[in-house]
Amino acid sequence: MLIQIMSVNFDKNIPNWRTQLEAINYNVLVLVREGKVRYEINGQEVIADSGDVLFIPRSTLRSGENWMGIPHQKHTILFTYEADFETGIPFLDERQFIQFKLFNDQYAYHRCERLYEEIRGGKSFRTMICFGIFQELIGMLARELDKPDLTPSKLKYAEIIKTHLLEHYRQHIEIEQLSKLICRSPNYTTALFREVYGHSPIRYMHQLRMLEACNLLISSDMTIASISQYLGYYDTSYFHRVFKKHTGMSPTDYMQQGAHSDMTKLLS
């Protein structure tokens, strides 16, 4: 394979995190999950915020540290590819530093988590699986960069709706309620959110619930019925249908397969 993954890391609130100023001999893909990170890139200060993606190409003079001394969370993937190799991915082939905002962030974080798990495992075909996950992640980022430019007002409205959903996804939510947040019609609200994030606000709400359901099914002793009610589904059979629609399996099957499940359908 012409692309080689060197390492995959998840920096989670590391006190006094810092990397020295040096010309790196590998490429770095950074996805900031929480907080801010300060970089110096070829002599220029770069502040990366939550939801930002950075591609730092090989030979870049780079240093990094916690912004204002405050810890952060981010995924980093270090990789190499041959200097004369054309990947077909514009931001890789241009070999220039780039920073952009990630819209489909939850799915991207999920793929980083899966890549992090796989690369540290000892199972068969690990290299092939890791390369496949990395290819999907890179392709998804390239697709987001290829979207038509969105106006600042659309991005602002979509972010308001998304923030509300992240904070209240366990509650009963209707489009009319969301439309009032931005003083627009329900139809406009749905179309706007779909244009920015690729799916409707209600679908995103269900996706957030399903992510939490997957976590609770594996890491808690809650019953399926109690998880259903906790996430706002008071009809357990309906919770089963929604879970299978989004994950491709029943809650019981997911509990049995757990972290070994390939959740590519979730948040796609």
Side-chain angles (χ1 to χ4, degrees), residues 107-109 121 172 200 205 216 226:
Y107 185 68
Y109 300 152
H172 179 70
S200 72
M205 176 197 71
L216 293 173
S226 61

Side-chain angles (χ1 to χ4, degrees), residues 64-78:
E65 61 184 354
N66 286 331
W67 180 77
M68 302 291 289
I70 303 171
H72 63 275
Q73 294 186 22
K74 70 178 183 298
H75 300 278
T76 57
I77 304 171
L78 279 57

Side-chain angles (χ1 to χ4, degrees), residues 41-74:
I41 304 292
N42 292 329
Q44 300 293 319
E45 182 183 54
V46 173
I47 305 299
D49 204 348
S50 175
D52 280 354
V53 176
L54 288 77
F55 170 63
I56 308 174
R58 184 174 183 171
S59 301
T60 297
L61 189 62
R62 176 222 63 181
S63 68
E65 61 184 354
N66 286 331
W67 180 77
M68 302 291 289
I70 303 171
H72 63 275
Q73 294 186 22
K74 70 178 183 298

Side-chain angles (χ1 to χ4, degrees), residues 164-256:
H164 183 84
L165 290 169
L166 285 167
E167 294 175 351
H168 303 284
Y169 66 89
R170 289 172 49 209
Q171 302 172 13
H172 179 70
I173 295 175
E174 295 183 351
I175 289 296
E176 289 76 10
Q177 173 188 351
L178 298 175
S179 65
K180 291 179 180 178
L181 295 173
I182 60 173
C183 301
R184 293 294 186 272
S185 70
N187 287 341
Y188 178 88
T189 300
T190 299
L192 165 69
F193 196 87
R194 182 177 283 115
E195 181 181 1
V196 175
Y197 295 113
H199 41 246
S200 72
I202 300 304
R203 178 177 173 83
Y204 183 64
M205 176 197 71
H206 286 299
Q207 290 170 338
L208 292 173
R209 290 179 175 183
M210 292 306 102
L211 277 175
E212 182 67 7
C214 290
N215 176 56
L216 293 173
L217 286 167
I218 294 176
S219 61
S220 79
D221 57 1
M222 294 174 66
T223 65
I224 293 175
S226 61
I227 290 173
S228 173
Q229 291 201 5
Y230 176 76
L231 294 174
Y233 300 108
Y234 299 104
D235 181 346
T236 306
S237 62
Y238 178 65
F239 168 72
H240 276 259
R241 293 196 299 272
V242 174
F243 190 92
K244 188 165 187 178
K245 176 182 177 181
H246 284 265
T247 68
M249 65 183 74
S250 70
T252 302
D253 290 340
Y254 184 80
M255 289 177 70
Q256 294 173 350

